[in-house]
Amino acid sequence: MKTLVFGSCNLDHTYQAPRIVSPGETLAVRRVSLNPGGKGVNQSVALRRAGLDVYYAGCRGADGAALQGLLEENGVHTDFFRTAEIPTGAAYIQVADTGENAILIYHGANFAVTRPMIDETLAAFAPGDLLVMQNEISERDHLIEAGHARGMRLVFNPSPFEACLREIDYGRLWLVFLNETETNGGMSLSTSEPPDVMTC
């Protein structure tokens, strides 16, 4: 069995500060760091370290070569990692001394995913293979439909949640991971047959 993580990759810019900045305020930060991130990259590395045969598919800009290097260093196959002509996605993260955070996301190359790219990638996988997805790339609806049609087992994290996600038939999914925000918000699922749901 192969596992395909078709998802986001980001360059995470993290700013440690006494508190989350208020509107109109300028606040000095104590520390700045730049790290690889994005749910797709994080999940790929975690699943590979758990012993699965993992392939990553997604898009990065020319500035995201380190993300591909990180995946390859951890044994993740990058055959389906494409380079787009726009910058890599980015997250701008404020972390307060209390541990609270506030995050701004720039989609960047994560929204360069196309239907032909999805179809070409899925052609290399078989019924029963795992397809792990998040709501952080373009053409997500087509990816779910194409993966389901191919007989793959679909795993989905619908975060960040958007109203349009209520239209997905969650009965096509094998497993759904809900973040705390989505769970507390009373997210309702459109489903012909409920998938397994985990909260994190």
Side-chain angles (χ1 to χ4, degrees):
M1 181 188 74
K2 296 189 291 188
T3 297
L4 171 63
V5 178
F6 210 131
S8 59
C9 64
N10 288 332
L11 295 172
D12 289 350
H13 304 255
T14 303
Y15 305 90
Q16 185 75 44
R19 63 183 183 280
I20 303 300
V21 69
S22 300
E25 179 184 19
T26 299
L27 184 64
V29 301
R30 296 188 176 129
R31 187 166 58 254
V32 177
S33 61
L34 177 63
N35 299 292
K39 285 188 177 70
V41 167
N42 294 341
Q43 290 171 351
S44 296
V45 172
L47 290 169
R48 179 67 192 110
R49 289 179 179 176
L52 277 67
D53 184 21
V54 181
Y55 292 74
Y56 173 80
C59 292
R60 66 172 177 86
D63 56 340
L67 293 165
Q68 185 160 344
L70 172 69
L71 291 169
E72 292 171 352
E73 288 168 11
N74 281 274
V76 176
H77 304 287
T78 59
D79 312 58
F80 308 106
F81 202 173
R82 303 287 183 255
T83 302
E85 295 183 358
I86 55 177
T88 301
Y92 300 91
I93 308 164
Q94 296 180 62
V95 180
D97 289 346
T98 60
E100 291 182 306
N101 64 56
I103 305 174
L104 293 172
I105 295 291
Y106 165 64
H107 290 302
N110 291 315
F111 269 35
V113 172
T114 64
R115 293 190 176 198
M117 176 188 171
I118 289 171
D119 295 339
E120 177 185 348
T121 300
L122 296 191
F125 295 85
D129 286 342
L130 282 177
L131 173 57
V132 181
M133 304 164 287
Q134 322 85 36
N135 183 34
E136 295 184 333
I137 61 171
S138 53
E139 298 294 351
R140 175 208 59 243
D141 293 352
H142 180 71
L143 178 59
I144 290 174
E145 292 300 319
H148 178 262
R150 196 157 190 83
M152 300 179 75
R153 290 188 291 173
L154 310 186
V155 179
F156 185 49
N157 181 336
S159 175
F161 179 72
E162 300 171 291
C164 63
L165 292 177
R166 298 185 188 279
E167 305 305 316
I168 292 173
D169 182 359
Y170 285 80
R172 294 179 181 270
L173 307 179
W174 180 60
L175 186 65
V176 176
F177 286 89
L178 294 180
N179 287 12
E180 183 180 8
T181 302
E182 283 75 31
T183 305
N184 290 343
M187 174 184 166
S188 60
L189 306 181
S190 169
T191 174
S192 56
E193 182 177 335
D196 290 327
V197 177
M198 297 183 66
T199 58
C200 55

